[in-house]
Amino acid sequence: MKRLIAVPAIMLAISLSAQNGKTDFLKAESHCSDSLHKLSTNSYLTVEWNDSRYFRYVSEDPLTRRKHRWLCDTKKGTREEISEESYNSFKAKAQSFKSNRDYKKKYTADSLYYMTATGDNLCMGNGEWERLLSRDGELFNSFAIGRNRPGARSQPQNCPSGCWIGKTHSYLAIREDNREVGTLSITNSVDTPRPKTEEYKFPMPGDRNVVKYSAWIADADNASLHQVDLDRFEDQLILMPRFQNIRCNDSSAFLLRLARTRDTLDLVRIDARSRRATTVISEVCKPHLNEQLFDYHLIDGGKKILWWSERDGRGKWYLYDFEGRLIRCVTPIDAVCGRIERIDTTAGTVVFAGYGGIEFENPHYRHYYKARLDGRKPVRHLTPGNGNHKIEFSPDGKMIVDRWSRMDLPGQVAVRNTDNGKTVFELESKDISEALEKGFRLPELMKVKAADGVTDLYGVVYLPSDLNPGRKYPIISNVYPGPQDDQVPLDFMYDDNGNQVLAELGFIVLNFSHRGSCPTRGRDYYTYGYGNLRDYAIDDDIAIIRQVAEKYPCADLDRVGIYGHSGGGFMAATALLSHPEFYKVAVGASGNYDNNIYTQWWGETFHGVKKVIREDGSEAFECKIPTTAELAANLQGRLLLITGEIDNNVHPASTMRLADALIRNNKRFDMMVIPRADHGLGNRYYLNLIRYYFVEHLGGEPQDHIDIVKHL
């Protein structure tokens, strides 16, 4: 009986709470993505190709929810509805077509030999015998993937890192030496039967002992192993094959050699027979390489090279010959050129992504283009439509399935001709009419100026569905400064990062890009924060918030909050401490508040590392990054710090060091350490920690719920 009585009593309490004007968490959560997604139809249309001419897909009627099965003919441009039986009968044909397709295979095992790792050593075999090629392998200096660094442990322990070289019987193997790299440890306090501590290698900015790389040629014909001389830079990096940066032609392997300062990159060719390394292309990229967009491709059997470069400030693809002589720029358009999606060497064309250069469009949106390698025709735009695009190719590459959307435009789908971008079919778009009828409010896209008054910044504003213009709403900025990404949503989604739910709790929530946060906006934009990794994004955030408040007079500039995760948590706490007159409440989760103890790659790339000469004449590298803890004495508002106890990405020590500085300055703050949680966090308890904190301290409404998931 008690359970039967409790349910209506709880619902009555919730109803009374809403009537009394208190925050209704359950109503707000009805706007989350899980709740709204089921109200949509045609969220994702799967296009299945029967062959290179015909495709089929299933759509759903928004009113009746009845499924319709379609067979489309790209040659005639016709579409007919077919029965479920007919639709399924095409599956066998499609599977047969797929199994007979000539898929391109990359660097598969040699037809006579195979390479494996026995323990930590490299081993070769041919099915009848196996021979050890090395005997000095050990933990953290191993030929086996997963034995050198954390994060690759899911890889087979007997899988070596490398590739067979073309038509030779030679194998290029790469080995990392982490033996002298410093360690970190995390403790899972709730592990049973005892708390468990895990130790792992973790190089940090400015460390003297960092990862060392070596390259080896294994010769199967005489079962021998030879080291390749690759030395050029002190503490140089060799970009590893898991990033697909080791590629081969018939007789050579190519790899990338990067200076520790990350401003000089070499493409190195290693001849399988002579085992000699030759620098083919060397590029200087000041202040640092754009690793998010950089790539290269071998074409015509390795006789030519497609090479990405930001030399003119906006990334382009360049064609080189085998000896590294520049032939031409292949993609001379007013856009930042990104990933190559398809190379057709017979036709001499490439299809690639591009960002920007389209008037009145957000330059963060991805579009696709087709270019000729010989430069004889202008580059052709394949994906019209104001939004962020993603494409899939038909089996023969003659058609593309183009999907695009924006945060205020649900998903659109079209099948287009790859030669000219002409639309062959427009398929059903995502239908959200039921969600709109039930109160969902589309977020609003907005363009503002950066703190310099010149640079355009783009983002999303989330408003309560029952916005009352006569009421004042606190403002919350959801931030992530990058630099490798800005995490501002480009594609349509209902409740990115829970921001719409947060808005429904009585806030105006915004999520914008800042200068220095996006690699697809060009070199100057992307590297804006170089040398100022702690503070570079905050002035832009303040400028953004002020402009949002100008557009929405109901926004309350006297009640400004900020929150984020990882780099966003770092920025949120830093903003509160550096501008206490502006920000009143901040939540920082998993933040790298001390980038000097974060990963070497992050700090040295995005803040910078300086080469110095030690007293003994040897080279050393220095990197000193300002920390959030240095600002602890400035705290005036309310601050919540959250960290997972077993975070091996941003170590909990970063949060603890900030907490220690706040305590030493006699500052009152809040902190939550979540047991058994790693860097990701993200469950409902964590999300509601943030929501409750803002409702109480920015919205000024104390809460007495004990259960912050069920709100009881």
Side-chain angles (χ1 to χ4, degrees):
M1 289 297 293
K2 289 183 179 179
R3 295 185 65 183
L4 292 174
I5 294 172
V7 174
I10 290 169
M11 296 309 293
L12 177 61
I14 293 172
S15 177
L16 289 174
S17 174
Q19 291 174 14
N20 291 335
K22 293 184 178 179
T23 301
D24 190 338
F25 285 91
L26 292 182
K27 178 179 179 295
E29 288 178 352
S30 70
H31 291 260
C32 74
S33 57
D34 289 343
S35 297
L36 294 172
H37 179 72
K38 58 190 176 186
L39 303 179
S40 306
T41 56
N42 299 319
S43 293
Y44 188 88
L45 300 181
T46 301
V47 173
E48 300 178 277
W49 291 92
N50 288 27
D51 52 32
S52 294
R53 175 175 173 179
Y54 297 95
F55 70 87
R56 55 198 165 93
Y57 73 98
V58 180
S59 66
E60 190 175 17
D61 188 292
L63 295 177
T64 66
R65 296 289 179 134
R66 176 175 174 264
K67 290 186 177 180
H68 298 271
R69 295 165 179 84
W70 304 98
L71 179 66
C72 302
D73 184 336
T74 60
K75 185 175 182 180
K76 294 182 178 180
T78 58
R79 180 181 81 158
E80 63 174 308
E81 186 170 5
I82 58 177
S83 67
E84 183 176 3
E85 292 75 18
S86 297
Y87 188 90
N88 291 334
S89 70
F90 283 100
K91 286 186 177 179
K93 182 179 179 181
Q95 288 298 322
S96 174
F97 171 76
K98 183 177 180 180
S99 63
N100 290 323
R101 278 176 58 187
D102 182 22
Y103 287 103
K104 184 179 180 180
K105 297 182 179 179
K106 291 185 178 181
Y107 320 137
T108 57
D110 185 281
S111 59
L112 298 178
Y113 303 96
Y114 62 84
M115 197 69 66
T116 186
T118 299
D120 294 300
N121 287 298
L122 198 62
C123 182
M124 179 182 292
N126 68 355
E128 297 180 358
W129 52 262
E130 284 189 352
R131 296 179 185 173
L132 281 177
L133 300 184
S134 69
R135 298 183 181 277
D136 62 346
E138 59 180 291
L139 180 63
F140 300 124
N141 190 30
S142 174
F143 280 100
I145 293 177
R147 294 280 290 169
N148 288 329
R149 58 164 74 171
R153 293 177 182 172
S154 61
Q155 296 285 346
Q157 292 297 309
N158 63 345
C159 179
S161 178
C163 65
W164 289 98
I165 302 176
K167 296 181 179 180
T168 72
H169 292 166
S170 296
Y171 184 93
L172 175 64
I174 305 297
R175 180 159 66 168
E176 296 179 17
D177 186 351
N178 281 258
R179 289 172 295 180
E180 300 301 318
V181 173
T183 62
L184 286 178
S185 62
I186 50 175
T187 299
N188 184 347
S189 297
V190 296
D191 203 2
T192 58
R194 297 169 178 265
K196 182 180 180 181
T197 297
E198 176 187 0
E199 189 174 84
Y200 55 97
K201 297 287 187 177
F202 198 85
M204 295 177 178
D207 274 0
R208 181 166 186 168
N209 296 314
V210 294
V211 184
K212 307 293 184 183
Y213 297 87
S214 57
W216 305 77
I217 293 287
D219 186 338
D221 291 329
N222 55 29
S224 60
L225 185 65
H226 308 270
Q227 186 169 357
V228 179
D229 182 7
L230 285 178
D231 289 345
R232 180 187 176 191
F233 309 110
E234 184 75 16
D235 294 344
Q236 67 187 20
L237 296 89
I238 295 176
L239 300 189
M240 300 298 286
R242 56 178 149 272
F243 302 132
Q244 298 185 343
N245 281 317
I246 290 184
R247 293 164 180 158
C248 304
N249 61 16
D250 287 347
S251 60
S252 304
F254 293 75
L255 53 76
L256 296 171
R257 176 175 58 201
L258 181 62
R260 182 170 177 175
T261 50
R262 298 194 179 256
D263 59 1
T264 307
L265 178 73
D266 293 339
L267 178 66
V268 179
R269 181 176 64 241
I270 300 175
D271 181 76
R273 297 187 184 280
S274 68
R275 301 184 286 275
R276 291 185 59 185
T278 303
T279 300
V280 181
I281 302 173
S282 185
E283 177 131 352
V284 177
C285 322
K286 297 288 187 181
H288 64 80
L289 176 73
N290 188 332
E291 294 183 46
Q292 277 59 50
L293 292 186
F294 175 81
D295 204 351
Y296 76 98
H297 297 272
L298 304 179
I299 58 176
D300 294 342
K303 295 178 182 178
K304 292 178 182 174
I305 303 158
L306 280 168
W307 179 262
W308 188 92
S309 169
E310 216 167 29
R311 64 191 61 173
D312 70 349
R314 294 170 68 79
K316 300 289 186 292
W317 285 97
Y318 296 86
L319 185 66
Y320 285 79
D321 68 13
F322 182 75
E323 298 300 329
R325 292 182 289 258
L326 176 63
I327 299 174
R328 69 178 57 87
C329 176
V330 174
T331 60
I333 61 174
D334 183 24
V336 173
C337 301
R339 173 177 169 176
I340 289 179
E341 297 291 340
R342 183 179 179 88
I343 301 173
D344 186 335
T345 53
T346 301
T349 60
V350 294
V351 175
F352 63 96
Y355 305 83
I358 299 178
E359 192 175 12
F360 307 121
E361 266 204 36
N362 183 337
H364 297 250
Y365 290 153
R366 179 177 55 243
H367 283 260
Y368 290 90
Y369 301 83
K370 187 173 186 177
R372 290 190 58 88
L373 295 173
D374 60 16
R376 292 181 180 176
K377 292 183 179 180
V379 176
R380 188 177 293 274
H381 182 205
L382 300 179
T383 54
N386 184 348
N388 194 45
H389 292 254
K390 184 177 182 180
I391 62 172
E392 307 156 10
F393 289 91
S394 64
D396 61 1
K398 293 182 178 179
M399 297 286 164
I400 57 172
V401 180
D402 178 18
R403 306 177 189 273
W404 79 101
S405 68
R406 304 186 305 265
M407 279 297 285
D408 63 349
L409 177 71
Q412 312 289 303
V413 188
V415 176
R416 308 188 195 278
N417 187 299
T418 311
D419 283 336
N420 52 28
K422 182 180 179 180
T423 300
V424 180
F425 289 99
E426 286 190 2
L427 308 186
E428 289 80 352
S429 59
K430 180 172 182 172
D431 189 282
I432 65 167
S433 56
E434 186 176 355
L436 292 170
E437 290 171 3
K438 293 190 175 182
F440 169 65
R441 178 172 186 152
L442 283 166
E444 300 190 10
L445 304 184
M446 187 173 173
K447 179 175 75 171
V448 299
K449 292 296 184 182
D452 63 0
V454 176
T455 307
D456 290 332
L457 303 177
Y458 297 80
V460 185
V461 179
Y462 306 82
L463 302 169
S465 58
D466 57 356
L467 183 73
N468 179 355
R471 174 184 168 186
K472 280 292 188 178
Y473 293 86
I475 308 170
I476 299 175
S477 182
N478 176 204
V479 296
Y480 186 84
Q484 88 293 357
D485 185 20
D486 59 24
Q487 298 189 3
V488 176
L490 301 175
D491 302 297
F492 176 84
M493 56 187 71
Y494 276 119
D495 185 32
D496 179 67
N497 206 37
N499 282 333
Q500 188 59 50
V501 171
L502 193 55
E504 296 297 332
L505 293 173
F507 304 100
I508 293 177
V509 183
L510 53 97
N511 186 358
F512 276 73
S513 178
H514 312 85
R515 284 175 296 168
S517 65
C518 183
T520 63
R521 286 284 301 268
R523 181 187 60 213
D524 294 343
Y525 184 97
Y526 176 47
T527 62
Y528 172 74
Y530 189 80
N532 185 24
L533 189 57
R534 185 186 68 187
D535 305 315
Y536 69 90
I538 298 173
D539 286 346
D540 279 353
D541 194 62
I542 294 173
I544 291 165
I545 293 170
R546 292 191 185 280
Q547 291 169 79
V548 170
E550 288 178 9
K551 180 175 181 180
Y552 303 98
C554 57
D556 188 351
L557 276 175
D558 291 328
R559 292 184 293 167
V560 176
I562 183 170
Y563 86 100
H565 171 262
S566 191
F570 162 50
M571 177 178 169
T574 303
L576 182 73
L577 297 176
S578 59
H579 290 275
E581 79 291 347
F582 187 78
Y583 298 97
K584 301 304 188 291
V585 180
V587 179
S590 306
N592 44 312
Y593 312 107
D594 186 345
N595 278 299
N596 299 288
I597 61 170
Y598 189 42
T599 179
Q600 174 200 3
W601 162 73
W602 185 273
E604 293 189 358
T605 299
F606 298 122
H607 186 76
V609 61
K610 181 174 64 174
K611 184 187 294 186
V612 297
I613 305 299
R614 301 188 186 100
E615 292 182 358
D616 62 5
S618 62
E619 293 183 348
F621 294 88
E622 292 182 353
C623 179
K624 179 60 177 175
I625 308 169
T627 69
T628 309
E630 295 166 21
L631 305 172
N634 298 339
L635 179 63
Q636 295 179 25
R638 297 302 298 259
L639 172 63
L640 170 61
L641 302 176
I642 307 172
T643 184
E645 187 189 28
I646 57 171
D647 188 342
N648 64 1
N649 181 346
V650 176
H651 195 279
S654 200
T655 300
M656 298 302 176
R657 290 185 177 199
L658 176 54
D660 176 64
L662 291 166
I663 292 169
R664 285 188 282 106
N665 281 276
N666 305 320
K667 296 298 182 178
R668 178 181 176 182
F669 67 101
D670 300 290
M671 188 166 79
M672 173 65 73
V673 178
I674 302 180
R676 79 172 97 241
D678 57 19
H679 189 61
L681 303 176
N683 61 26
R684 288 187 66 193
Y685 187 88
Y686 159 76
L687 291 174
N688 283 328
L689 278 176
I690 298 171
R691 293 166 184 166
Y692 271 77
Y693 204 76
F694 283 125
V695 167
E696 292 183 330
H697 300 296
L698 197 62
E701 186 181 319
Q703 300 295 310
D704 56 7
H705 295 154
I706 296 300
D707 186 327
I708 68 168
V709 174
K710 299 179 181 177
H711 313 296
L712 303 175

